[in-house]
Amino acid sequence: MSNSFFQTRNSAFRFLYLIPFFLSLTVLCYLISPIRPVAVNGGARMRAWYDIYALSNAEDILKQRLDDEGVLLSVASVNRLIRDEIDAGIPSNRIVIGGFSQGAAVGITIGLLSEYPFAGIIGLSGYVPLKEKTFTMATDANKNTPIFLGHGDCDEILPYQIGKLSYELIKSRGYPVTFKTYNGMGHHTSQKEIKDMISFLQEVIPDQNSEKI
């Protein structure tokens, strides 16, 4: 039986720690965001899943105008690739959706809105970009899907408070979500977070020789 791990992020090479684990997977879909103008950078073109209007503090991010259309277009784009994998014979309940930063925001949104039940959802240093609106569009397909969220308490790009509020929002809607705080970590990953993520993956996608399968 095959597995897939869809990881959405803005640039490559962040997760080299995971190579030994991913060698045991049949398919690793590592998706990189397109290049587009970003308002917070004065309209300069950079890799981004959707436009960003503020990145300074939690209050600004919570109140800012959001690029809803950009988020949903990215969700639709990744969903097409997921559908291709399912059509190719990989069961959706052996697919994990994951991402970092904006990639986490898109990945979490995909998981909550998808018609397919996934094995798990991972969000590292991310948040729920569409906030309450997400749950007006959410399906029940992943209502019982384990969700792993990790965030550094010294994140200088996407404040820790945003990640914690997103966790509380998801939890309040009854999803089985775990939130891990990484002391002293900024807007990046750590070996401890990677270790926790691998443990999560091993729980939601058991080894193919395991008696759980």
Side-chain angles (χ1 to χ4, degrees), residues 6-12 29-38 46-52 66-82 97-110 127 129-130:
F6 276 81
Q7 194 234 326
T8 53
R9 59 167 283 100
N10 293 353
S11 59
C29 300
Y30 194 93
L31 311 179
I32 300 176
S33 56
I35 296 175
R36 54 168 299 153
V38 175
M46 60 180 286
R47 291 201 176 276
W49 287 105
Y50 50 89
D51 204 355
I52 309 167
L66 185 71
D67 181 17
D68 294 35
E69 181 180 0
V71 172
L72 293 175
L73 283 173
S74 289
V75 166
S77 176
V78 177
N79 270 334
R80 285 193 290 271
L81 298 176
I82 294 171
I97 305 296
F100 174 83
S101 193
Q102 271 200 335
V106 171
I108 293 167
T109 305
I110 289 169
Y127 67 118
L130 303 181

Side-chain angles (χ1 to χ4, degrees), residues 184-200:
M185 190 176 81
H187 196 64
H188 52 79
T189 58
S190 68
Q191 291 190 14
K192 178 65 168 67
E193 185 178 49
I194 295 299
K195 182 179 178 180
D196 289 342
M197 183 169 67
I198 290 175
S199 294
F200 174 80

Side-chain angles (χ1 to χ4, degrees), residues 44-65:
R45 296 176 65 82
M46 60 180 286
R47 291 201 176 276
W49 287 105
Y50 50 89
D51 204 355
I52 309 167
Y53 303 110
L55 269 183
S56 55
N57 56 60
E59 184 176 355
D60 284 347
I61 293 172
L62 288 171
K63 292 181 178 179
Q64 71 170 303
R65 176 169 58 93

